[in-house]
Each structure stands twice: as structure tokens, then as C-alpha cells.
Amino acid sequence: MNNNFEEISPTAIVTSYPRTFTDIPYEKEIYNWIKDNCDTNLLLYKNLAPEIEARYKLINKLIDKSKINQILELAAGYSSRGLIYSKKGYTYIEIDLESVSQNKKKILEKIEENIPQNLNIISGNVLINDDFDKCKKYLEDSNPVIVVNEGLLRYLSFEEKRVVAENIYDILNEYNGIWITSDVTPKKFIKSQNNALQNFNKNLSNITSRNNLNDRFENINHIKDFFGDIGFEVLEVHKFNEVKNDLYSVNKLNIIDEKIEQTLEDAIVVIMKVKEKIKKQEIKDE
């Protein structure tokens, strides 16, 4: 597989654009900066808004429910979540590839007069252990952590997914906490997405070669088995349509039809934790 991970970076623009059709704070300002400063010669989809908004808001809902106030977001892209939660007093660490993280810092300097000191933006590749370890210096030892990612693992092979998951395991084994992710993309969701957004995945594959159906999970049992082998327990599974009533793009802008409805039914977010009394070395020895 192609090891040029920077080719994933433009997908952060693909998801930034539909967030402008939501009521998520700062997203219009963020995309305006991107439009003025980046190559946006990409096929962008307004009708992706319900999916992206649901993903964002469902993850936020689960963060709030957890009562954990220390967050590490992987491949944070151009999302405003870090700015919003750090302004609420959360310790927030974002890590992304060099091009995106540097742009993110410039965006924040443009749209926010006082960037919270508890918002830390790190350049790095989460498949590289040393880069991942950079995040630890910003974590408080006495507090658990939530690891969040939305839009990363779907672009990785299963071997690469395992590397990232093992790095997350190390963090949660040391600090305790949970992993909240929508990146366990099942194949049936990709089929729904293809029906709702004509040629979306085909066009995405023109942006990055890392959009392969073979890198998707078959079903929930596949998800549980894969991450269970690494040392995780799946605690909860949530469908995107749980937050349908909260979606501005659906309820105010009426961006919805039966096909989009199906994507909200098939897309999921899972919450995982490290299995009790299972050490990484024990898993490797099995």
C-alpha cells in the first residue's frame, strides 16, 4: 500500500465543506480560510452534511456523557471541536499530519483572538510511535483520557489500523479512559453512502488511493474480534440517526432523502476501553 500518508490530507477539506451547512460553531470561518488559502479544486458534496454533522454531534454527545475532560483527537483535520472543548476548560490535544496541523494553527490565529492554552496542536503521524508519544507531555497523569477519531482508519489497511489501535491501547492502558470512534466503517455503510452520494467514493479514490473497500469491516462481529485481539472491549455501539433530531442540515435546511436516511442508519460510532487485567505483552504472546 502507498505509504504517502499526506495524500489523505485533502479529505479534511472534503469534510470541512459540508460542515458549513450545519450550525456547528466556527465551521464557516474555517472553510472560508481554506477556500482562500488551499487548493479546493475538489468535488465537494453539500449532501454529505447530514452524515458529517451527525458524526460530529454524536461523538460530542458521547464525550459529554463520559464526564472525562481530557481529550486526544487523532487526525483532527479542520474540525472546530478542539477549539470549542478547550474553551469549555477541557485539556485538548490534536494530532494530524504536518500540512493540516500547520494550516490549523494559521486558521485559529485568524478566527480566534485568544487561543486557549489548553488546546495543543501537534504535527505527527499516528502510525509512528514516537509521534504518538509527543501527545503524552500534554496529558495530566491523574486524569483519564478520551481518544477520538472520525475519518482516519477508513483510509488505512488492517495492518495499519492495528498499529494505530496498539498506540491507542498504550495510552489508555497508562491513563485509563475510553476510545470513541466512527472509523469502524462497515461495508454496508459504504454501499449506502454510494447510493446517497453518486460517485462520492469513486471521486474520493481520485483524491487518495487509500479509499479501498477491502479495508472496511464486514460487520460488528468483525469489529469486536479485530479490536478484541488487540486488547479492547466494545462497550457501546451507536447509530448516527440517534442525533437526527439535532441536525440543522436536516431539520432547518431539509438536506435529507431516503438514501441519506439510510446512511444515518448504517453508520456507527463505537465506544471501547482496554480490557481489564490484560497486558499488551500477554496479547502478543497468545
Side-chain angles (χ1 to χ4, degrees):
M1 175 171 277
N2 185 352
N3 288 324
N4 179 15
F5 295 99
E6 280 286 358
E7 73 167 65
I8 303 173
S9 295
T11 65
I13 299 174
V14 173
T15 55
S16 177
Y17 172 73
R19 283 198 293 266
T20 65
F21 299 97
T22 75
D23 60 351
I24 301 170
Y26 303 107
E27 294 297 343
K28 290 182 176 64
E29 294 91 332
I30 289 171
Y31 184 72
N32 285 338
W33 187 95
I34 293 170
K35 186 171 58 175
D36 291 340
N37 294 277
C38 301
D39 179 9
T40 56
N41 186 26
L42 304 166
L43 283 169
L44 302 173
Y45 290 78
K46 175 181 178 179
N47 284 356
L48 189 60
E51 174 194 324
I52 298 302
E53 184 180 7
R55 185 174 79 176
Y56 182 98
K57 289 185 173 178
L58 178 55
I59 288 175
N60 284 9
K61 181 179 178 180
L62 299 174
I63 289 172
D64 295 344
K65 182 182 176 182
S66 76
K67 306 297 184 184
I68 297 172
N69 62 5
Q70 186 164 225
I71 300 174
L72 168 59
E73 182 165 4
L74 314 182
Y78 298 118
S79 166
S80 61
R81 182 182 288 118
L83 176 59
I84 292 169
Y85 273 88
S86 60
K87 290 181 76 171
K88 292 179 181 180
Y90 285 64
T91 296
Y92 211 100
I93 303 103
E94 297 185 8
I95 182 170
D96 210 321
L97 297 172
E98 179 78 17
S99 60
V100 174
S101 60
Q102 293 306 312
N103 282 344
K104 187 68 168 286
K105 291 176 182 178
K106 294 174 184 176
I107 291 170
L108 292 178
E109 290 169 357
K110 176 71 174 180
I111 70 173
E112 183 65 23
E113 184 175 346
N114 296 306
I115 301 171
Q117 291 185 344
N118 47 320
L119 174 58
N120 306 282
I121 299 174
I122 300 168
S123 296
N125 183 336
V126 295
L127 282 94
I128 299 173
N129 188 264
D130 287 347
D131 283 358
F132 211 98
D133 283 347
K134 293 177 188 176
C135 303
K136 290 183 179 180
K137 66 183 285 189
Y138 301 102
L139 293 172
E140 299 173 11
D141 291 341
S142 57
N143 291 334
V145 61
I146 301 173
V147 177
V148 171
N149 57 292
E150 49 168 331
L152 167 64
L153 297 186
R154 68 170 285 170
Y155 299 111
L156 304 182
S157 68
F158 278 100
E159 181 180 351
E160 291 166 340
K161 286 177 174 60
R162 176 176 288 274
V163 171
V164 174
E166 287 177 345
N167 283 334
I168 295 170
Y169 180 97
D170 286 345
I171 289 281
L172 294 183
N173 197 44
E174 182 174 348
Y175 292 88
N176 294 316
I178 56 176
W179 180 11
I180 302 176
T181 179
S182 61
D183 280 359
V184 289
T185 315
K187 287 184 177 179
K188 72 174 183 177
F189 165 70
I190 295 298
K191 293 176 182 178
S192 298
Q193 194 179 57
N194 284 337
N195 287 332
L197 302 167
Q198 188 174 14
N199 294 324
F200 173 72
N201 278 289
K202 180 180 179 181
N203 291 326
L204 200 59
S205 296
N206 292 330
I207 298 172
T208 173
S209 61
R210 292 177 160 276
N211 188 44
N212 193 321
L213 188 62
N214 293 330
D215 296 327
R216 308 290 182 259
F217 289 93
E218 297 292 338
N219 49 44
I220 189 61
N221 287 332
H222 186 193
I223 293 165
K224 289 179 177 179
D225 289 345
F226 179 82
F227 292 104
D229 183 57
I230 297 167
F232 288 99
E233 175 187 357
V234 174
L235 297 176
E236 300 175 21
V237 180
H238 296 269
K239 294 183 177 182
F240 280 23
N241 63 10
E242 290 179 27
V243 293
K244 181 183 171 185
N245 291 338
D246 301 325
L247 302 183
Y248 181 89
S249 58
V250 168
N251 298 294
K252 298 294 184 181
L253 300 183
N254 199 33
I255 305 175
I256 190 72
D257 59 27
E258 290 182 0
K259 293 178 179 179
I260 293 174
E261 186 97 48
Q262 190 62 49
T263 64
L264 300 181
E265 170 70 21
D266 291 339
I268 59 174
V269 170
V270 301
I271 302 178
M272 292 182 276
K273 72 169 186 176
V274 169
K275 293 179 184 178
E276 293 182 7
K277 299 180 181 178
I278 292 185
K279 303 299 182 184
K280 190 173 181 181
Q281 189 59 47
E282 291 175 4
I283 296 167
K284 286 185 174 181
D285 292 342
E286 287 181 357

